[in-house]
Amino acid sequence: MTLKRALGLDTRAERYAYAVDPVMGYTAAAKIPDRWVSTTCGYCSVGCGMFIGVKDGRAVSVRGNPDHPVNGGALCPKGLSEHDMLHVATRARYPLLRRNQRLERVSWDDAIATMVRRFRDVTQTYGPEAVGVLSTGQLVTEEFYTLGKLVQLGLGTRHYDGNTTLCMATAVSGYKRSFGSDGPPGAYEDLERADVVFLIGANIADNHPILWQRLEANPGKTLIVADPRVSKTAMLADLHLAVKPRSDLALVNGMIHILIEHDLIDHEYIAAHTTGFEALRESVRESTPERVSEITGLPPELIYKTAVLYGNARAGFIGWTMGVNHSTKGTETVNAINNLALLTGNIGRSGAAPFSITGQCNAMGTREAGFTSSLPGYRKFECAEDREALAAIWRVPADRIPTARGLAYPDIIEAVLARKIRALWVIATNPIVSFPNLGVLRQALESLEFFVVQDGFHPTPTSDLADLVLPAAIWGEKDGTYTNSERRVSKVNRAVEPPGEARSDFDIFLDLAAAFGCRDELFPGWTKPEHAFEEWKRVSAGRLCDYSGMSYEAIETLGGIQWPYPAGATDAADTRRLYADGRFQTDDGRARLIPTAWEPFPEPPTADFPFVLNTGRTVEHWHTRTKTGEVPILDRLAPTAWLEMNPRDARALRLKPSHRVDVVSQRGRVRNLELRITETVAAGQVFVPFHWADFNANQVTQSAFDPYSREPNYKQCAVRVERTTP
Ligand code: SF4
C-alpha cells in the first residue's frame, strides 16, 4: 500500500469511476470497451450467445446477447466473468521442455521437432499404436476434425479418446443402442412446451442455469426431479423423488411396468416405429411398485403417481446429466429412459423428448467430428460403406481408415500402465484431477516415455508432470464453431490475441502435420479453421449431423443453426427435433426397445466405510478449476471444497459445523474438507464437489466403468468420514 493510500489521499477514483456505455448503460468505466465481438460462451454446453468487450486489445467485459435464441441476453456467474479467465496468471505462455527434471522454455520449432522425434522413436520401436491421445470437449469443431485426421491418418494410432468419455459417453452409447445413432433428439424450447418435465440426476439450477430459466418460462409444467440429494433443482420441483443412490434405473423400469399394466402406452407409435416390445414387457414383469419401492426407497404410491403423471402427459420431456451418466449402469439407464419415451410416443414432437444435457461447450462437436467412438459424421468404423464414402471424400485408400475404434479413455490409461502405450498427448484436459482413482493414474503417467500436454493453462496438476508443454489459445482467442446440447452450431470468434507465444490448437495441429510430413496430403491449402469447416460440411452431408447448408455467415445471422441443416435448407425450425417422422438411424428405421436390469452399485458401504459418497458440481466453478480457480469473483464465491453430511450422521460422529473432516476410501483420503451439516443429503450419504485439485475427490473414487461407454462410476463409492487431525 502506498503512503498516499495509507493516508487516505488516494481514493482510486479512476479505478472505481462509472460512465455510460451506449450498450451496457451506467457501468464501471473500466469495463467500457472500444468494440464488442460476438461469440458463444466457452464453458458449458448450454451455448449462450454473448459479446466480449475489447479495449486496447484486452478483453474487459462480457454481456449476454439479447437476441440470441438460447439465452436471450442472460448469462450465469461463469459466463459473466469469462473475460477475466483470459488474464489469469496460470495461462500457458511459452512452450516448455523438461530438461534435468525442470520444465524450461524452448522455441516452438524446438518443441515441435522434439515432439515429432520422440513420437517417431516410440512408433519405430513399439509400433504406431504405442501412441495415445486424450482430447477434450473444449476445442472448436474445426480443431476436433483436424485432430482426428492427424491422429488416425497421420500418426497412425487409433488410441484417441477425449474427456467426453468422463461425462457424456454414456448418452452417446445409449442413443446409439436405442436409435442407431448419437444425437440428442429434442430442443431447449421443449422445456417451455412440455407439460411434464422429468429430470433425472440433473441439477440444472446449478450446472446449466440458463436452462433453468428456460424451464421457468413454462408456468404450466409439472416438474419431477429424481435425485438422492435435495439439490437446488430438487428444491424447486413439484415432486422430488429422493431415490437411493443409483436406483434410477429401477425407478424407470418400475414406471414402465406401471404404464404397461395400466395401458398408458402409445400402441400405435410402438407398432409403427419400434421393435422389441414383448421382450421389454417381459423384462419389467418383476419391477412392481413394491419391489421398486424396496430398491429406490420411494413409497409405491409415489412411484405410481410419477408414472401416471408422465404417462398422461400431453408432452413429456425427460432430461438427464451426470446422475445418470456417471454409473456402471449409465448406458442401460439411458436405454430405459429412451424406452419410456418411445413407449409413450414422447419423441420427435414439440415438448416431447428424451434429452441428454451435455457438459462441455463443445462435447457435441467432438462427438460429431468423430474418430473417437465413431468415424466423422457418426459413421461406423465397422461399416465398409461408411469407410469407403469417407475415403472417397478424402482421396485416400479406404484401407487407411481403421475398421474398429481404438481404446477408450480408461483403457488408454490401462494400456499406459501395461506399457503398451509409451507416449501420450493430452489436449485441454486435466486428468490428474478429473480421472477416478488418482493413485493408479499417477502411476500410469509417471511410467510414460514421453508425455505431452497441450493446454491454455500451466501449471496444472497434469502439465506439471509433462515432458513437453504446448501453450494453446483458448475461448476468446480463436475462431470456429461449437455445437450445444440442442445440436445448435454457433460461431466462436477471436476477440483478442493469446498471451505470450500461445497459439490456436488448429495452428499447432497444422504445424505438427507439416513436421510429421502429412500436411499437404491431409490438409491441402488449409490455413484457417474455415478450411476445415468447408471440408467438414462435405463430410457431414447426408448424415444425421448434416452441416452442408450452413455457412459461417448464416450461423452468425441466425444465432446458431441446429443440425441437420442440409444444403438448400432455409428454415431451421424444420429440423428442430430429430425423429419427427418416426424413422430412426437403425437398419430397419425402427427404434429399439431394450430390456435393462438394475443392479446395486459396485462398492456398497461396509462397517469400515459406512457412507455412500456422491460427487458433483457447483455453479461457480468449471470442472477442475483450471479456468475458474484464478478468476477472483468465482474463487471468492466458492474458495474451498466441502463435505455435506446429514445432521443425524454428524451427531453420531460428534461432528460440529466448525469441524474440518477427511473423507477416506479403500484407495485414499481427501483431507481437511469444510463440513456442512445439512438435510440436503440423506443419512448414510455424503456429498463432495469434484472441482478442487487440493481436495481431489478422485483420491477416493474407484476404477469402475460402464461396460458400453467406459464412463467412470464417479457417483457412488464407500467411504468413512473422520475429523481432520492437525
Ligand atoms: S449457462 Fe453455460 S453457456 Fe450459459 S453463461 Fe453459463 S456457463 Fe456459459
Side-chain angles (χ1 to χ4, degrees), residues 41 43-44 46-48 75-76 78-79 82 208-210:
C41 179
Y43 281 114
C44 89
V46 173
C48 295
L75 295 173
C76 81
K78 288 192 286 290
E82 201 158 358
H208 301 85
I210 302 304

Side-chain angles (χ1 to χ4, degrees), residues 315-395:
F317 179 96
I318 311 177
W320 77 90
T321 66
M322 298 311 137
V324 168
N325 289 347
H326 280 173
S327 161
T328 49
K329 279 284 175 181
T331 299
E332 285 190 71
T333 308
V334 172
N335 291 132
I337 289 169
N338 293 340
N339 291 341
L340 196 52
L342 290 165
L343 286 175
T344 50
N346 274 310
I347 185 165
R349 293 190 286 114
S350 176
F355 193 76
S356 55
I357 302 169
T358 310
Q360 300 179 74
C361 56
N362 201 26
M364 285 283 293
T366 188
R367 285 153 63 176
E368 296 155 13
F371 268 127
T372 52
S373 67
S374 59
L375 291 169
Y378 297 149
R379 289 180 173 85
K380 297 182 174 80
F381 285 104
E382 62 277 15
C383 173
E385 205 181 308
D386 283 358
R387 294 195 303 274
E388 279 156 19
L390 206 51
I393 299 170
W394 288 340
R395 298 189 183 147

Side-chain angles (χ1 to χ4, degrees), residues 12-34 36 53 55 60-62 83-84:
R12 296 190 180 179
E14 217 172 86
R15 181 170 172 183
Y16 296 110
Y18 278 74
V20 178
D21 174 72
V23 177
M24 296 170 85
Y26 194 62
T27 187
K31 290 193 161 191
I32 296 180
D34 308 328
W36 291 103
K55 186 178 188 177
V60 293
S61 50
V62 291
H83 57 293
D84 286 330

Side-chain angles (χ1 to χ4, degrees), residues 27-282:
T27 187
K31 290 193 161 191
I32 296 180
D34 308 328
R35 61 192 170 95
W36 291 103
V37 178
S38 161
T39 195
T40 307
C41 179
Y43 281 114
C44 89
S45 70
V46 173
C48 295
M50 67 201 301
F51 296 97
I52 305 175
V54 181
K55 186 178 188 177
D56 301 329
R58 185 179 165 88
V60 293
S61 50
V62 291
R63 67 184 174 90
N65 179 349
D67 301 320
H68 200 275
V70 166
N71 55 316
L75 295 173
C76 81
K78 288 192 286 290
L80 282 168
S81 57
E82 201 158 358
H83 57 293
D84 286 330
M85 173 187 71
L86 296 165
H87 315 304
V88 299
T90 48
R91 288 299 308 279
R93 288 172 164 77
Y94 303 101
L96 303 170
L97 182 63
R98 189 169 298 280
R99 287 177 177 142
N100 304 320
Q101 310 300 317
R102 287 166 50 95
L103 284 168
E104 293 176 4
R105 185 172 161 184
V106 292
S107 69
W108 268 107
D109 285 349
D110 271 357
I112 298 275
T114 305
M115 179 165 166
V116 170
R117 181 170 49 78
R118 296 299 302 272
F119 272 37
R120 280 207 174 118
D121 287 348
V122 165
T123 55
Q124 277 163 10
T125 312
Y126 308 104
E129 297 221 324
V131 170
V133 181
L134 292 175
S135 158
T136 176
Q138 300 284 308
L139 309 187
V140 292
T141 299
E142 292 78 351
E143 291 170 337
F144 286 130
Y145 179 67
T146 307
L147 176 65
K149 273 183 100 174
L150 171 62
V151 169
Q152 299 208 342
L153 302 189
L155 273 63
T157 178
R158 293 173 304 145
H159 302 323
Y160 162 45
D161 200 3
N163 64 11
T164 45
T165 290
L166 309 186
C167 140
M168 294 310 296
T170 284
V172 175
S173 301
Y175 284 142
K176 281 184 180 171
R177 294 182 85 217
S178 295
F179 306 142
S181 172
D182 185 18
Y188 293 163
E189 71 176 31
D190 293 331
L191 287 163
E192 293 161 2
R193 297 188 177 182
D195 54 345
V196 172
V197 175
F198 185 18
L199 297 178
I200 307 179
N203 179 15
I204 63 170
D206 254 321
N207 303 324
H208 301 85
I210 302 304
L211 287 193
W212 174 258
Q213 293 192 358
R214 298 285 300 256
L215 191 53
E216 274 187 320
N218 177 357
K221 69 181 180 296
T222 299
L223 175 61
I224 307 166
V225 173
D227 197 317
R229 278 172 85 212
V230 193
S231 65
K232 278 183 204 161
T233 312
M235 287 176 201
L236 296 159
D238 299 293
L239 206 60
H240 173 213
L241 311 178
V243 287
K244 287 185 190 168
R246 230 284 282 286
S247 62
D248 43 9
L249 176 53
L251 170 66
V252 176
N253 279 339
M255 290 173 66
I256 292 172
H257 173 100
I258 292 166
L259 293 177
I260 293 174
E261 288 288 302
H262 292 268
D263 201 19
L264 285 169
I265 55 176
D266 186 337
H267 292 280
E268 214 173 297
Y269 192 91
I270 295 166
H273 303 299
T274 71
T275 56
F277 177 71
E278 284 308 323
L280 177 65
R281 184 215 293 260
E282 191 53 38

